[in-house]
Amino acid sequence: MSDAVLAAPAPIGRFARYLSLWVGLCIVVGIALGHGLPGVFAALARAEIQHINLPVAGLVWLMIVPMLLKVDFAQLAGVRHQVRGIGVTLLVNWAIKPFSMALLGWLFVRHVFAGWLPLDQHDSYIAGLILLAAAPCTAMVFVWSRLCGGEPNFTLAQVALNDTIMVVAFAPIVALLLGVASIHVPWGTLLLSVLLYIVVPVVVAQSWRASLLRRGGHAALEATLKRMDPLSTIALLATLVLLFGFQGEAILAQPLIIAMLAVPIIIQVYLNAGIAYGLSRWLKVPHCVAGPAALIGASNFFELAVAAAISVFGLRSGAALATVVGVLVEVPVMLSVVRIVNRTEGWFAGAGSFAATGSDRNRA
């Protein structure tokens, strides 16, 4: 059995399916704890080094490392056999999505909703939206691909390639877009965030993966991933509680902030999914590649975005809140994209099979 088959998880589980519900509960719990235990949250906010909050850093590591364990960088060798699908997602992920989100953020934050959003947080909200769009999703893409019958080798190859690009491209793209938006770029903190939340977790996860495969094969890897899942879930929920604990006053003062920030995020998901899906059809890419190409092009690595926003702008910043809104809308919006992809499979009837594109699996 190939790595790709093993890495593709079962259809979306109960926690992931109701992620928006859990986020909603975290909003309530976080706000309540923030008001009831202000001293505790103040102490947590002070626990930082070089603007990196240590409690949040630990929680983010628990979220990110298990996700990166699933990624097989050996699949990069198969990229040359999937040129059209890979090209579509690279174009959308790195040349369209961050820039379209910057434009949407400027349009909605500075203009459409400007009168209803706190003026002193406009720059911070835009920065959070940019951070959210600047990193392609790493983990949930496997679930979305499975739900739309996506080719697992393509999905793995694309995720591995995106993770590799992210190491060198995330900081420059974010810095460029923040500069265009006239937002101060703390380069030292931004680069430290890339080191802590991308480079080091990739090295740790891949070293751990290699060790597990060497000692116990794929069975050991799958068993470890199964054990780590609850820790990742707990870490995600705890991070959200912390964030909403710090953001409680702003949310209670203007509860519509979350809805207003959700608008550009939702638009960019459908926009980028549509561009990737349309390009795939135009290039006669088969549906089993076009589906995950659209989903990879639309989804975001919100765990990294949350961590970077906290590091660069702080726990109480509008940037941190904007990235958390991305978590809130992720699952229902992406599930709707999956439904659209599944219902339009007939559009690709004349595109041929994945074998026609020369997949590495069928060449083996």
Side-chain angles (χ1 to χ4, degrees), residues 198-256:
I198 302 178
V199 178
V200 175
V202 165
V203 172
V204 170
Q206 290 303 302
S207 299
W208 190 5
R209 178 188 174 93
S211 175
L212 288 169
L213 291 173
R214 187 170 55 250
R215 295 199 318 265
H218 294 298
L221 175 61
E222 291 300 310
T224 300
L225 288 172
K226 188 174 181 179
R227 287 197 301 271
M228 292 296 293
D229 263 351
L231 289 178
S232 296
T233 300
I234 293 169
L236 174 60
L237 296 179
T239 302
L240 296 178
V241 169
L242 275 180
L243 286 173
F244 284 113
F246 287 112
Q247 294 285 345
E249 291 183 8
I251 294 171
L252 289 177
Q254 291 179 290
L256 288 179

Side-chain angles (χ1 to χ4, degrees), residues 277-322:
Y277 203 50
L279 282 174
S280 295
R281 185 170 185 263
W282 181 60
L283 293 170
K284 300 188 184 305
V285 172
H287 186 262
C288 62
V289 170
L295 296 161
I296 293 170
S299 55
N300 305 307
F301 193 174
F302 56 74
E303 295 86 356
L304 171 61
V306 169
I310 293 170
S311 300
V312 177
F313 297 99
L315 278 161
R316 292 184 173 88
S317 67
L321 179 60

Side-chain angles (χ1 to χ4, degrees), residues 59-140:
L59 292 171
V60 170
W61 264 56
L62 284 177
M63 287 188 279
I64 292 178
V65 171
M67 297 174 186
L68 294 174
L69 268 177
K70 300 176 183 179
V71 179
D72 179 14
F73 283 92
Q75 290 292 322
L76 285 173
V79 166
R80 66 185 184 277
H81 301 309
Q82 305 160 3
V83 175
R84 286 177 291 170
I86 293 288
V88 166
T89 50
L90 287 181
L91 175 68
V92 173
N93 282 150
W94 298 106
I96 296 178
K97 186 167 68 172
F99 300 91
S100 64
M101 180 61 101
L103 177 60
L104 288 168
W106 170 82
L107 176 63
F108 283 95
V109 173
R110 292 199 192 279
H111 296 279
V112 178
F113 298 137
W116 293 279
L117 293 170
L119 182 61
D120 62 339
Q121 291 291 340
H122 282 191
D123 285 351
S124 193
Y125 291 142
I126 294 173
L129 294 173
I130 289 172
L131 286 167
L132 189 65
C137 185
T138 290
M140 288 297 288

Side-chain angles (χ1 to χ4, degrees), residues 323-337:
T323 58
V324 173
V325 174
V327 187
L328 181 64
V329 303
E330 171 88 1
V331 171
V333 175
M334 290 304 298
L335 283 175
S336 71
V337 175

